[in-house]
Amino acid sequence: MRLLQSYPTLSVVLSCTCPLMPASLAHPHTNNCSSIFAHPPMLIQTQINPTLKIPSFSRKPIQTHTLKDICLRGNLKEAFQSLPVSSNDHPDETYAPVLELCAQKKALSQGLQIHAHMIKSCSVSESVFLATKLVFMYGKCGSVRNAEKVFDQMGQRSIFTWNAMIGAYVSNGKPFEVLQTYKEMRVLGVSLDAYSFPSLLKASGLLKNLYLGAEIHGLAVKFGYDSTVCVVNSLVAMYAKCDDLFGARRLFGRIDQKDDVVSWNSIISAYSSNGRSMEALELFREMQKAGLDSNTYTVVACLQACEDYSFRKLGKEIHAAVLKSAQLIDAYVAGALVAMYVRCCTMSEAVRTFNKLEEKDKVAWNSLLTGFIQNGMCSEALHFFHAFQNAGEKPDQVTVISILVACGRLGYLLNGMELHAYAIKNGFDLDLQVGNTLIDMYAKCSCVNYMGYAFNRMPDKDLISWTTVIAGYAQNSYALKALELLREVQLIDIDVDPMMIGSILLACSELACVSQVKEIHGYIMRRGLSDVVLQNMIVDVYGECGNIDYAVQTFESIQFKDVVSWTSMISAYVHNGLANEALELFHILNKTNIHPDSIALKSALSAASSLSALKYGKEIHGFIIRQNFSEGSIASSLVDMYSRCGMVESAHTIFKTIQSKDLVLWTSMINAYGMHGHGKVAIDLFNKMKENLTPDHVAFLSVLYACSHSGLTAEGRQFFEIMKYEYQLEPWPEHYACLVDLLGRANCLEEAYEFVKSMQMAPTAEIWCALLRACQVHSNQELGEIAVQKLLELGSTNPGHYVLVSNVFAAKGRCKDAEKIRSRMKERGLKKSPGCSWIEVGNRIHTFMARDKSHPECHHITKKLDQITEKLEKEGGYIAQTKFVLHNVEENEKVKMLYGHSERLAIAYGLLKTAEQTPIRVTKNLRVCGDCHTFCKLVSKLFGRELLVRDANRFHHFEDGVCSCGDFW
């Protein structure tokens, strides 16, 4: 309720058929008011000096035309020039046409001046007609508050006054106020006329209140207006907006003479706005067959029915009809044409249509701008926005939202911040949609602080606001903050939706917090929110958190699995090192009616890569070709698969076939060459890549590894300097570890140590490990001791680090110290990964552990291995190097332990089961020991077989007794 200030001179006495309003009953917006309309500043001044203030118009009386004629011509300036100073004789004839023209032009400023002039001449107090015109004018000009104040001051009101007030509310998007005013009319016994119903029905549609609409429909029938064309048309539109198309069509069908184009427009628009495009266009054809001419509203409704790419031909036909009929072309049709081409994804036509417009209004500009965004053309959207500004257009909320979306997708933080400043200056940032878009833009630009500021500044927040900011924190690795906001959401009693839960699951994945995932999973089940999308995410998150059993249970509980379900489970297996299970599940997927997508194929290729399962990898590649998948989209996965299966030539063949190579593909190929010891080729490829692309951290890491594996010390130093100083990339710990490893291989241990000490960041455990391995190889005990102490101080949770330290102590005979390290591992719950090797033979992956006896053909494998060892001893002079066994056991036991290493069992099985002259491919999860390395060299020489052994660090190509690593790995 609001207090009203009064005009001291305004006391309106109405002579109309409407009963007098009781003094105690004010308009629903008043509360025991002692004063009426609070004048705008210019109106207050007129009470002191009430002459009409016309700042820019010269007072030249027009003698040849009446004021009404001038207003009919639409010349507001001329109408003001012709307005007499005093209009006491015929105020209705004087002011009514000018007020109507102000309403038509939406000229609020001039309307306020006219109102001031009317107060001066006391015209308002003598005419209900003029007061009604004022209400109508203010409503059309968007000043609902002024319309209410004039309405509230009126002692008597005609039905036209009520209609004007209701119309003002409707046209300004205030349906609740319409409902309140309608209730007051019923209380006062005001009889509705034919012009009351369209506004009331439109408000019912805006509220989607079918009950209210049906009530008003009943009144229309009762008062005999149910056959009036404008009422019928409004009823059709109301039922359509309330999602009752059956009712709308039934009403339309009852019209005997369907000769009114507005009726056709109503039903066509009803179907079009409810997504029933084909029915809308069929009705349009029926209208044409009935011989009715289309108008602009018909064209706009039909263009809106062309909702996607499949309607582009029909849309062009409507466009052609518009061009043939010049009277159908106006700003609304032009804007609808642009929007139609945008929806149909034909942006070239949208741009062409826009450029041909003689007058481009804000709607047309925004339609095309939105089109660029919707079609993923964000850079073009920014260029178009510059043209928008150059044309003198001022951005509104819609413009700001579109450009913020573009800035977010492109990661243009500074442009987004400029637009944020503009929004603050113009008050747009307080708008709900603008605020939500600002949050999303800052989240996509990884600017979390400003994202939080934009969120906190919003006066009103809806579910989208909370969901967006939680997603922003989760996506930018602020998992704890995302969970904190979730608790706030629950405290203010907002219903958590699936999208918000998805973001929270992402946060749980970041924290690897299984208990939190279980809690969210339980919440989903209790609230009945479980759908296939959330179930897929739960499978994925359980996999990320390492709880593969819960992932499997959730996957199996999904009744209607889609491709994402299968992909999530396959990825979970791969992530948890269960490559065999991943390939088996992929095989089952191929037997269903669901076709794998590119992500499923990448996961399957990753599984094949980790197992060096070349046959499986080739099968997947063949599937990709048969299904006409673009190899370009998964080329890097194919390159990685072939290279990790030892087929670097095949990897390069794939690489060469791709026309448009991105940075990921180049990096994969560089990494492939580096892994296989082709360092110089990797360097040449890197230099070629730099000609067209800018290398990132990962690309530099690949070339540094290539230098390290090939002993290219000078080149490695040079690339590190180039990365840091030429490309301004701050090295990661991995880059430092790689360079330390490179220097260590070259026996530049002092330089490596000085390099570690000069680091601007604290050295990580991996860096000290790299230095320690080099000290172990080159027997530098002094530096090795320093590296051991630094490594132990860091308290690493990686069991491999403790195993390395224990081995160093054991090699020096410091058995007690080695035992202490093993005890520390046990106290911390850390376990050494057992040695494991696998080989692909006969469409199966055969896995072997050290001294394994579980294989079905164990007896034959052991016998074959004994034969191999005997031949190596007799013909190759092989002697077991027991120094590589760091356990405190008898010598003969050490020999047995060496003979039982997993890679030897795999090689023996390969020699037993594969054809002669074929390469044997073996993969091991740990580094190959020195004795097994010698064993492999001798096997390749004495058995004439190429061995490709991939250990945890690199590939070893054994051929004719020589290894590609140069005996340093």
Side-chain angles (χ1 to χ4, degrees), residues 98 182 271 301 410 429 563 569 577 622 669 727 918:
V98 183
Y182 164 68
Y271 276 94
L410 293 170
D429 67 318
V563 66
M569 193 64 242
M669 195 65 241
Y727 287 91
T918 58

Side-chain angles (χ1 to χ4, degrees), residues 42-150:
M42 65 177 69
L43 295 185
I44 296 173
Q45 293 172 7
T46 60
Q47 297 178 45
I48 303 169
N49 185 16
T51 57
L52 181 63
K53 187 176 181 180
I54 309 171
S56 59
F57 302 146
S58 61
R59 303 297 300 269
K60 296 180 181 178
I62 306 297
Q63 298 177 354
T64 56
H65 299 285
T66 65
L67 182 59
K68 185 176 182 180
D69 291 334
I70 294 168
C71 289
L72 288 173
R73 291 205 305 268
N75 193 327
L76 188 57
K77 179 178 178 179
E78 192 177 347
F80 262 78
Q81 289 175 337
S82 303
L83 195 66
V85 176
S86 178
S87 305
N88 290 328
D89 294 337
H90 305 287
D92 290 2
E93 295 178 9
T94 301
Y95 292 112
V98 183
L99 287 172
E100 288 178 1
L101 184 57
C102 288
Q104 178 187 336
K105 299 286 188 180
K106 294 184 172 25
L108 178 60
S109 177
Q110 288 83 352
L112 287 165
Q113 292 185 53
I114 295 296
H115 191 179
H117 197 267
M118 291 165 65
I119 293 170
K120 167 215 168 183
S121 58
C122 301
S123 300
V124 181
S125 61
E126 298 171 6
S127 175
V128 173
F129 175 74
L130 282 181
T132 301
K133 287 291 183 183
L134 276 170
V135 173
F136 176 79
M137 182 273 295
Y138 279 127
K140 287 293 183 184
C141 292
S143 182
V144 176
R145 182 173 174 79
N146 282 341
E148 288 174 346
K149 289 175 181 177
V150 173

Side-chain angles (χ1 to χ4, degrees), residues 22-41:
S24 61
L25 184 59
H27 186 259
H29 304 281
T30 67
N31 183 17
N32 299 327
C33 310
S34 59
S35 58
I36 323 174
F37 191 178
H39 304 295

Side-chain angles (χ1 to χ4, degrees), residues 500-671:
M500 189 181 294
I501 290 173
S503 297
I504 294 301
L505 286 171
L506 178 63
C508 294
S509 174
E510 177 74 23
L511 294 171
C513 183
V514 176
S515 60
Q516 191 74 49
V517 178
K518 290 179 181 178
E519 186 179 328
I520 299 296
H521 193 179
Y523 178 88
I524 293 169
M525 301 298 289
R526 290 193 303 272
R527 292 297 182 94
L529 297 173
S530 186
D531 59 13
V532 68
V533 176
L534 280 180
Q535 287 175 311
N536 294 341
M537 290 195 71
I538 291 168
V539 171
D540 189 61
V541 174
Y542 276 132
E544 289 286 334
C545 294
N547 197 322
I548 197 67
D549 292 336
Y550 273 76
V552 172
Q553 289 177 23
T554 307
F555 173 74
E556 291 176 348
S557 71
I558 302 174
Q559 188 174 2
F560 301 104
K561 298 178 179 69
D562 59 12
V563 66
V564 181
S565 311
W566 292 89
T567 303
S568 298
M569 193 64 242
I570 292 169
S571 300
Y573 277 134
V574 172
H575 181 74
N576 286 275
L578 300 170
N580 267 319
E581 288 81 351
L583 290 174
E584 286 174 12
L585 192 62
F586 182 77
H587 184 65
I588 296 170
L589 169 61
N590 285 332
K591 293 180 180 179
T592 68
N593 294 324
I594 299 173
H595 295 291
D597 60 7
S598 60
I599 300 174
L601 291 168
K602 288 179 181 179
S603 296
L605 285 169
S606 178
S609 299
S610 64
L611 293 173
S612 293
L614 181 61
K615 189 168 184 179
Y616 278 114
K618 285 183 174 180
E619 287 178 3
I620 298 167
H621 190 186
F623 177 86
I624 292 168
I625 295 170
R626 289 194 302 275
Q627 296 297 321
N628 294 318
F629 270 92
S630 170
E631 288 189 0
S633 62
I634 50 179
S636 58
S637 298
L638 284 168
V639 166
D640 186 62
M641 183 275 293
Y642 277 115
S643 65
R644 290 169 71 85
C645 289
M647 302 287 288
V648 70
E649 296 83 4
S650 298
H652 189 244
T653 300
I654 297 293
F655 176 78
K656 287 192 299 183
T657 59
I658 306 303
Q659 296 297 318
S660 181
K661 300 176 180 67
D662 61 10
L663 186 60
V664 176
L665 182 57
W666 282 95
T667 303
S668 297
M669 195 65 241
I670 293 165
N671 188 63

Side-chain angles (χ1 to χ4, degrees), residues 748-858:
C748 301
L749 295 177
E750 291 295 337
E751 182 184 350
Y753 180 54
E754 291 300 322
F755 176 73
V756 172
K757 290 197 296 182
S758 68
M759 286 174 55
Q760 294 181 353
M761 65 175 71
T764 62
E766 285 72 22
I767 294 170
W768 289 115
C769 272
L771 183 61
L772 180 57
R773 286 194 191 98
C775 291
Q776 186 183 22
V777 171
H778 296 290
S779 303
N780 190 322
Q781 296 186 10
E782 184 180 349
L783 279 182
E785 191 65 34
I786 293 172
V788 165
Q789 294 304 320
K790 294 292 185 181
L791 190 55
L792 293 176
E793 286 173 9
L794 291 174
S796 173
T797 57
N798 185 339
H801 297 163
Y802 293 97
V803 171
L804 175 62
V805 173
S806 175
N807 289 344
V808 169
F809 285 153
K812 294 178 182 178
R814 296 167 60 179
C815 298
K816 290 184 179 180
D817 290 332
E819 187 60 36
K820 287 180 181 178
I821 297 299
R822 293 194 185 96
S823 298
R824 185 184 294 190
M825 286 179 63
K826 289 179 182 178
E827 290 170 4
R828 300 191 177 188
L830 303 176
K831 292 183 180 180
K832 175 188 174 183
S833 299
C836 176
S837 299
W838 52 91
I839 184 172
E840 184 183 24
V841 176
N843 293 325
R844 280 191 58 195
I845 303 296
H846 298 264
T847 305
F848 299 92
M849 308 294 285
R851 306 175 78 174
D852 196 356
K853 302 290 185 182
S854 63
H855 196 278
E857 299 181 68
C858 172

Side-chain angles (χ1 to χ4, degrees), residues 141-419:
C141 292
S143 182
V144 176
R145 182 173 174 79
N146 282 341
E148 288 174 346
K149 289 175 181 177
V150 173
F151 182 88
D152 290 339
Q153 171 60 25
M154 297 173 68
Q156 286 184 318
R157 303 167 184 136
S158 69
I159 186 58
F160 302 108
T161 312
W162 289 96
N163 288 346
M165 193 66 242
I166 293 171
Y169 284 136
V170 168
S171 61
N172 287 278
K174 296 181 177 293
F176 288 104
E177 287 79 353
V178 173
L179 178 59
Q180 197 170 355
T181 306
Y182 164 68
K183 288 178 180 177
E184 185 183 352
M185 292 174 72
R186 298 298 304 275
V187 169
L188 294 174
V190 178
S191 298
L192 305 177
D193 68 1
Y195 297 101
S196 307
F197 289 101
S199 294
L200 292 172
L201 290 167
K202 186 173 182 181
S204 302
L206 289 172
L207 292 169
K208 290 190 177 295
N209 190 333
L210 186 59
Y211 178 82
L212 174 63
E215 178 186 323
I216 296 167
H217 187 179
L219 284 176
V221 174
K222 179 179 178 181
F223 294 149
Y225 295 122
D226 59 317
S227 58
T228 304
V229 173
C230 66
V231 176
V232 173
N233 295 340
S234 298
L235 281 166
V236 170
M238 181 275 295
Y239 280 111
K241 282 190 169 58
C242 292
D243 300 323
D244 185 6
L245 279 178
F246 176 77
R249 189 62 182 264
R250 185 173 56 185
L251 271 173
F252 180 75
R254 288 178 182 173
I255 302 174
D256 295 328
Q257 298 292 327
K258 297 184 177 67
D259 54 0
D260 179 44
V261 68
V262 179
S263 303
W264 285 96
N265 290 345
S266 298
I267 192 66
I268 291 170
S269 180
Y271 276 94
S272 177
S273 59
N274 278 270
R276 305 280 287 275
S277 299
M278 292 308 299
E279 292 94 328
L281 295 172
E282 285 169 8
L283 283 165
F284 175 58
R285 290 194 181 93
E286 288 182 31
M287 173 184 161
Q288 290 178 312
K289 290 177 183 177
L292 274 74
D293 292 329
S294 305
N295 61 18
T296 56
Y297 295 100
T298 319
V299 174
V300 169
C302 291
L303 287 170
Q304 288 173 343
C306 300
E307 59 184 0
D308 57 35
Y309 187 74
S310 61
F311 288 90
R312 67 192 185 285
K313 187 176 180 182
L314 289 171
K316 287 184 177 181
E317 289 177 7
I318 297 170
H319 190 180
V322 169
L323 294 175
K324 291 178 182 177
S325 177
Q327 70 261 25
L328 293 180
I329 298 178
D330 64 7
Y332 295 106
V333 172
L337 279 167
V338 172
M340 180 273 294
Y341 282 121
V342 164
R343 288 192 302 275
C344 293
C345 303
T346 51
M347 286 303 298
S348 57
E349 288 294 334
V351 172
R352 190 178 296 112
T353 303
F354 177 83
N355 289 335
K356 288 181 180 179
L357 298 180
E358 293 183 4
E359 294 185 8
K360 301 175 176 69
D361 64 0
K362 187 70 66 67
V363 175
W365 282 98
N366 282 336
S367 294
L368 193 56
L369 186 59
T370 304
F372 282 123
I373 303 297
Q374 291 173 351
N375 286 276
M377 305 168 69
C378 295
S379 296
E380 290 82 352
L382 291 181
H383 289 303
F384 184 71
F385 178 61
H386 293 315
F388 173 92
Q389 292 176 302
N390 293 335
E393 295 286 343
K394 187 177 180 181
D396 60 7
Q397 284 99 323
V398 177
T399 319
V400 169
I401 288 170
S402 297
I403 298 302
L404 283 173
V405 171
C407 292
R409 291 181 183 175
L410 293 170
Y412 288 178
L413 177 60
L414 292 179
N415 297 97
M417 294 178 76
E418 287 177 12
L419 210 60

